[in-house]
Amino acid sequence: MILKFAAAIAVSLATIANPVLADVIKVGIIAPMSGPFSAVGQTWEGSIKAYQKLNGTTSGGHTIQVIFRDLPEINPAQAKALAQELIIKEGAQYIGGLYFTPDTLAVAALAQEAKVPVVIFNASTSSLLEKSDYLLRTSYTLPQMAVPVAKYAKEKNVKNVVTLVSDFGPGLDAEKGFTTEFVGSGGKLLEAIRAPLKTTDFGPLMQRVKALKPDALYVFGPGGPATYAMIKAYNEAGLRAAGIRFLGTGETDEDQLRAIGPDLLGIETGMFYSASHDSPLNKSVTKTLSEVAPKAIPTVQLANAFDGLHVIYHMVKATDGKRDGPKAMAAAKGFSWESPRGPVKIDPVSREFVQNVYMRIVEKDASGRYVNREFRTFEMQPDYGRIQNTAK
């Protein structure tokens, strides 16, 4: 299959009128534009519109044309087919998007054969970039978020914890990242609880946690109804009243603040971005998003897509629009800039995203909105998953 794809891409590029220098650079975005994760696709689309409104539609004198393809749910075969269509039929020089890890894995081999850079907007498995020399990401890895949360817990004299994560790849990454750091620095893990991915009744699990009497509960929820149910059960089981801290990562993202605001008050999370991040650039970007895509929610996906397109613009300029995957990737390595989330950098060796992680607490602002107030910054954090695996 890969050999056939390589032959097809060679024929396709040979038939393009000017394969060396293109006046229009096509960027294919594979995104959940419909289905249960459509809010992500809407935010990515709105973020790209906001970026182009603020920065124009050209880079290095070349027009950037963004083409979206819908991938509603996890479907590796469809992801591969969409990538092939974008590269061969549409002549896309860059691919972006990709919400889930299995879909990204399906695209990785094609990227390697075609030498097409792929900028991942979300998929967060730590080992993912090892699958192709042409992958990089502008999102995060879960160990990158979990380790600073563990460090914060130790700063606050948390001596023992229970972990509760959804039992799938990202949840296990989060669990490992947190416990490796927490236990390694002298903390005690009372129990590691893994809930099936489709769990919606967390009441019995929270009662189990309460009986263990930890100083804190570290969680990772998959988002949506399961995360809502987890937070509701935390409150209803009396863990908050018992003084058991709730520590997490993305459980208080802006979509969840809007959906379940009051139940989130006082919850502490470590994450790389929130809409309330106090910087002139972020204020400009969120304002522009509201103008170009009023229905889009300024979640972490806003920063992921905004920065993803920024990297693509940089690669287009560095290659002067030429189809040169190796040169484009070389330009991306070590690239640093100011993002709506703060200072960021692409590691020159691993290609991983290096960024600040902010400890936040949910509060009500003067206008009555529920917000994540940042109060502690762990500066320029690496992918701890890679570091922890290397240390074995």
Side-chain angles (χ1 to χ4, degrees), residues 8-188:
I9 193 69
V11 171
S12 175
L13 296 183
T15 60
I16 295 174
N18 187 354
V20 178
L21 185 63
D23 291 329
V24 176
I25 308 299
K26 293 184 179 181
V27 177
I29 305 295
I30 300 173
M33 304 304 297
S34 64
F37 304 99
S38 60
V40 172
Q42 290 174 3
T43 298
W44 284 357
E45 183 179 31
S47 180
I48 286 170
K49 288 179 179 178
Y51 183 90
Q52 293 196 314
K53 182 173 181 179
L54 291 169
N55 297 282
T57 57
T58 64
S59 179
H62 304 280
T63 298
I64 308 297
Q65 180 185 352
V66 180
I67 305 168
F68 282 86
R69 289 292 182 269
D70 184 21
L71 187 65
E73 298 185 83
I74 296 176
N75 189 333
Q78 181 66 6
K80 182 189 292 185
L82 290 174
Q84 288 177 329
E85 177 191 344
L86 286 164
I87 295 170
I88 297 174
K89 183 179 178 181
E90 298 291 347
Q93 289 181 227
Y94 299 89
I95 299 293
L98 296 164
Y99 189 59
F100 292 107
T101 290
D103 300 324
T104 310
L105 288 171
V107 173
L110 304 184
Q112 190 71 22
E113 289 295 325
K115 298 182 180 179
V116 171
V118 174
V119 181
I120 304 163
F121 289 3
N122 187 71
S124 57
T125 299
S126 187
S127 62
L128 192 52
L129 300 192
E130 299 171 9
K131 307 305 179 183
S132 170
D133 299 328
Y134 292 89
L135 299 182
L136 58 85
R137 66 178 133 215
T138 53
S139 55
Y140 67 113
T141 69
L142 283 157
Q144 186 181 43
M145 302 297 111
V147 168
V149 177
K151 291 180 178 180
Y152 168 74
K154 291 300 295 179
E155 288 178 359
K156 292 299 179 180
N157 203 32
V158 172
K159 292 182 171 59
N160 54 71
V161 300
V162 173
T163 60
L164 171 56
V165 303
S166 293
D167 193 6
F168 74 130
L172 302 184
D173 269 1
E175 176 193 87
K176 180 181 177 182
F178 181 88
T179 56
T180 299
E181 175 64 29
F182 186 76
V183 174
S185 59
K188 184 177 181 181

Side-chain angles (χ1 to χ4, degrees), residues 213-224:
K213 299 181 179 179
D215 293 332
L217 170 67
Y218 173 75
V219 309
F220 174 79

Side-chain angles (χ1 to χ4, degrees), residues 44 53 92 106 140 164 183-184 213 224 231 233 251 262 266 283 335 356 360 363 371 381:
W44 284 357
K53 182 173 181 179
Y140 67 113
L164 171 56
V183 174
K213 299 181 179 179
I231 292 165
E251 288 72 28
K283 290 175 181 178
F335 182 41
N356 291 347
R360 308 96 52 85
E363 295 180 345
V371 298
Q381 298 295 289

Side-chain angles (χ1 to χ4, degrees), residues 50 53 281-293 302:
K53 182 173 181 179
L281 177 58
N282 186 51
K283 290 175 181 178
S284 174
V285 171
T286 53
K287 178 177 182 294
T288 305
L289 179 73
S290 69
E291 295 167 352
V292 299
L302 165 60

